Amino acid sequence: MAASVENRQFSRLDSFMSGANHRSGSPVRSCNFPTNTEPKRKIKPLGVEDTSSSDDDDDENNYRDTIEKAKAELEPSVLDSRDQLTADNWIERNPSMVRLTGKHPFNSEPPLARLMHHGFITPVPLHYVRNHGPVPQASWSDWTVEVCGLVKRPARFTMEELTTEFPNIEFPATLVCAGNRRKEQNMVKKTIGFNWGAAGISTSVWKGVPLRHVLKRCGIFSRKKGAMNVCFEGAEDLPGGGGAKYGTSIKKEFAMDPGTDIIIAYMQNGERLAPDHGFPVRMIIPGFIGGRMVKWLKRIIVTTQESDSYYHFKDNRVLPSHVDAELANSEAWWYKPQYLINELNINSVITTPCHEEILPINSWTTQLPYTLRGYAYSGGGKKVTRVEVTLDGGETWHVCNVDHPEKPNKYGKYWCWCFWSLEVEVLDLLGAKEIAVRAWDQTLNTQPEKLIWNLMGMMNNCWFRVKINVCKPHKGEIGLIFEHPTQPGNQSGGWMARERHLESSADSNNTLKKSLSTPFMNTSSKVYSVSDLKKHNSPDSAWIVVHGHVYDCTRFLKDHPGGADSILINAGTDCTEEFDAIHSDKAKNLLEEYRIGELISSGYISDSPNNSVHGGSSLTHLAPITELAPARNIALVPRQKVPCKLVAKTSLSHDVRLFRFALPLKDQVLGLPVGKHIFLCATINDKLCMRAYTPTSSVDEVGYFELLVKIYFKGVNTEFPNGGLMSQYLDTLPLESSIDVKGPLGHIEYTGKGNFMVHGKQKFAKKLAMIAGGTGITPIYQVMQAILKDPEDDTEMNVVYANRTEDDILMKDELDEWAKEYQDRVKVWYVVGNTIREGWKYSVGRINEGIMRKHLPGASDDVLALVCGPSPMIQFAVSPNLEKMGYDVKNSLLVF
């Protein structure tokens, strides 16, 4: 989308953006915008301290006009409903931002086409965001920045002092997340990071105080006296991994170098910083990765050693490709200094053609050249000196026009991205399979041809490749459709995702032959739109999308181990992220049997020529369909995540917590049928985590639900050294924070008076043999609670409950109280692996045939066994012993 020197059209800072690739009126579906013929202008860094190479004052206010024009055409930011029950519910955000880690914390990038539309200077609402936790609510008047450590005069500066007592400089700088283009790496092998697309990059005009002036004011010590590093610390309290402030450091010599333009910034694009970008003050370190530019800056500490922050060591590193997470921890790779990232590397991206753009091939379009466009950048102030494009896999290269909208500072440093363009013949594109780009900088560094995987998925800078495929946009006409490697976040699409899953399906199913062509060229692969998908959201026809593939799971509903609800809860939707979060590779391979085609996210297959012109409204017919609210006032909505706020947390023991979550509305009930469970969904360490829980509160509770959770701490169980990811997350979750809830799901539902619906079939029992292990007591407890609450339900219940020790027994007081109050209907027997107290009157050891025969009802047509617990307990103890007792385990054993 970025343009060449000769062909400009957008009224941005230097009006560099390009016009349409074809003459006006051409029926080309593309990503271009209306033309503007303003002449090219260069910008000059502003401020008291001039770092530019020119004194041409005529240009110094040009960027202000650009910023104002962009603000005028941008839709207003809003309080997003997705933030309603999070700690960020006070922040206005642009609704078009692509969220990469669910709802919270807010990590996002703009749609690539929108980013490039605005050109050199990115509007603040569209600037990419990387947050590790909630955004601090700061006050300009109360905020201070402390400077301490190895300085002669430690000080604490107010914002007023920073802005009035020091010189300031103002200049444009491009910020890039070290994870930019990470999703490409995740397509090869999963990293520990989330899916950044190619828009984790933005450029703003930053204003602030040079760091070196502040350090000089405080009398920074010499290197001989130990002053070797300058550490930065933010204000945010971060839950989960790290459990501390965000912090990092740079070398003292670099911090004091006037040529680095490092500033303590308080303005962005002519206004005070936005909350997501560090209000009221942050670090800007041009040419470095974004992870070094601490937001919400509170402390600057001069030290001998580098920062000891968790985030300084466990983030922003490129480890060797053979190092996985286990090896990185066991061999302390995180602490080897040679793998730390500071400066950005050379990189480039193709932005025109955009993803799924269609170029019709006809007598009109072949008369004019097509202009390829994109952006490039390098780090450390190095200038991008060359960009090249190949249409034949690297056999030959075409040198592009490169436009640098900025001027270097007086030390010859370049801090911003540049834009490249190349005119090619349409017939050359017709004969090509892909377009690839690489850039070079002034030190002759260039991009590698192939992707180099690393554990954190950072600094990905292999050739950016756009695939070219043939399609039929209209009757009697062929066209070229362009496909980018990935789409950001959990969005489906991209040739890498398709090829990855074609390969995995070929490996797992010999009947599926691997195709050398892409799915668009596979005539046997049907293509479905989003609107097609949404029609198949019922037990009669249940379709899902995973990584761009469409699967018809209707015939698998009755066989799914988690019950039909586990599929129906996602029917008619793209559930890629959730599927990957809870399924094994084996399940992913089994899924291929049900694949029926591919999802195309834009409706380009049309008989109407009007649909061939790409514009802002061309996708309106694919807007998400909002389901009608259910008649009952219930919180759970099928196929949707519902945010619920943590309002109370009670510690019942050293590792057991009772959590109370408020429903979105005070008069709602959760809407969970007895016997079913919910998913809690949270982004933990930048990855989606989903775990199933059964509430212990009654299904009739209004306004809230409760979960009894055992916390599995890391370092306690040698078999699971990392402990429970979700339980530890819940344990550190602050009050008033929210978590996403999805449900109901499960294949067992108790409908009352001894009746069950199991996989849609009715079953009945007068007596229940209930066997639980550990936290598996919660669905058993839920059924018991429903039975005892109904005075007309006389179902008898015999419970055998196994745990490691007495201290691990959950809800013992409640169970004992029921056994005492309903002696004729409730019997409870406990089994512990080891007793830790004298006077234990129940069984010690493991569940066995003797215990089960003594404390459970014998087999009968009116007896059902309900079981929930660890798989080995069910497989090796419960199921075989029930068979010995005469139970028909195929029909009478119900496993939650």
Side-chain angles (χ1 to χ4, degrees), residues 37 64 88 93 100 135 252 276 325 334 362 373 383 424 434 531 599 648 676 678 681 722 810 823 826 831 860 889:
T37 56
R64 291 192 176 92
D88 290 349
R93 289 166 170 156
L100 308 176
V135 175
K252 175 207 169 186
D276 275 323
W334 300 113
N362 53 44
R373 307 184 191 280
K383 182 180 182 180
V424 296
E434 71 171 23
S531 57
L599 180 74
K676 300 205 173 190
I678 56 175
C681 314
N722 294 324
L810 301 178
Q823 295 183 26
V826 178
V831 182
S860 172
V889 295

Side-chain angles (χ1 to χ4, degrees), residues 654-655 710-724 727-728 804 808 870:
H654 75 285
D655 61 355
K710 184 177 178 66
I711 312 300
Y712 294 96
F713 293 105
K714 61 182 178 182
V716 175
N717 188 331
T718 55
E719 295 182 13
F720 305 99
N722 294 324
S727 65
Q728 292 182 92
R804 294 177 182 271
D808 295 313

Side-chain angles (χ1 to χ4, degrees), residues 359-573:
L359 173 62
I361 304 300
N362 53 44
S363 59
W364 177 266
T365 59
T366 54
Q367 290 178 18
L368 296 172
Y370 183 94
T371 306
L372 306 174
R373 307 184 191 280
Y375 70 75
Y377 62 85
S378 191
K382 294 184 285 291
K383 182 180 182 180
V384 175
T385 54
R386 188 195 329 170
V387 179
E388 299 171 316
V389 164
T390 180
L391 301 178
D392 55 14
E395 290 293 322
T396 59
W397 292 90
H398 306 274
V399 178
C400 305
N401 295 316
V402 180
D403 179 25
H404 290 274
E406 67 170 326
K407 293 180 180 179
N409 71 5
K410 66 182 180 181
Y411 299 95
K413 300 293 183 67
Y414 287 80
W415 302 134
C416 298
W417 56 359
C418 62
F419 303 95
W420 61 266
S421 65
L422 178 70
E423 289 188 348
V424 296
E425 295 299 324
V426 172
L427 292 180
D428 289 338
L429 292 176
L430 185 61
K433 294 181 179 179
E434 71 171 23
I435 310 164
V437 65
R438 70 182 181 189
W440 301 71
D441 67 22
Q442 66 189 58
T443 58
L444 298 183
N445 286 319
T446 190
Q447 298 169 242
E449 175 183 359
K450 296 181 179 179
L451 182 148
I452 304 172
W453 187 89
N454 65 86
L455 178 61
M456 297 207 71
M458 290 185 164
M459 306 292 274
N460 181 38
N461 71 332
C462 59
W463 297 356
F464 191 93
R465 303 171 187 265
V466 172
K467 300 289 186 181
I468 306 174
N469 304 285
V470 177
C471 65
K472 293 184 177 181
H474 311 299
K475 289 182 178 179
E477 183 181 77
I478 66 168
L480 299 180
I481 182 168
F482 301 96
E483 193 176 19
H484 282 218
T486 64
Q487 290 296 283
N490 66 353
Q491 295 183 55
S492 60
W495 62 262
M496 291 191 75
R498 297 180 191 279
E499 290 189 357
R500 175 191 181 191
H501 286 273
L502 283 175
E503 290 173 1
S504 66
S505 64
D507 292 339
S508 62
N509 189 341
N510 292 330
T511 63
L512 292 177
K513 294 183 179 180
K514 180 178 176 181
S515 172
L516 296 178
S517 64
T518 69
F520 286 103
M521 298 296 289
N522 185 353
T523 56
S524 64
S525 180
K526 292 187 176 180
V527 176
Y528 298 97
S529 68
V530 175
S531 57
D532 292 332
L533 173 68
K534 287 180 176 292
K535 297 173 184 177
H536 300 271
N537 61 356
S538 70
D540 297 327
S541 182
W543 292 9
I544 63 171
V545 167
V546 178
H547 291 291
H549 301 301
V550 180
Y551 300 90
D552 184 352
C553 299
T554 311
R555 58 191 172 92
F556 190 55
L557 290 176
K558 65 180 186 303
D559 298 322
H560 190 273
D565 282 349
S566 298
I567 297 175
L568 293 175
I569 197 173
N570 293 304
T573 70

Side-chain angles (χ1 to χ4, degrees), residues 271-292:
E271 298 179 347
R272 288 181 179 178
L273 300 178
D276 275 323
H277 298 294
F279 175 83
V281 64
R282 66 170 297 166
M283 294 305 305
I284 292 294
I285 308 176
F288 267 38
I289 60 169
R292 299 284 168 242

Side-chain angles (χ1 to χ4, degrees), residues 784 788 797 812-830 842:
M784 295 177 69
L788 296 175
M797 295 161 282
K812 186 174 186 299
D813 292 342
E814 291 87 345
L815 294 171
D816 289 344
E817 183 63 29
W818 282 346
K820 180 179 179 181
E821 184 176 352
Y822 303 98
Q823 295 183 26
D824 57 334
R825 296 168 55 202
V826 178
K827 303 286 191 285
V828 180
W829 190 258
Y830 301 103
Y842 300 97

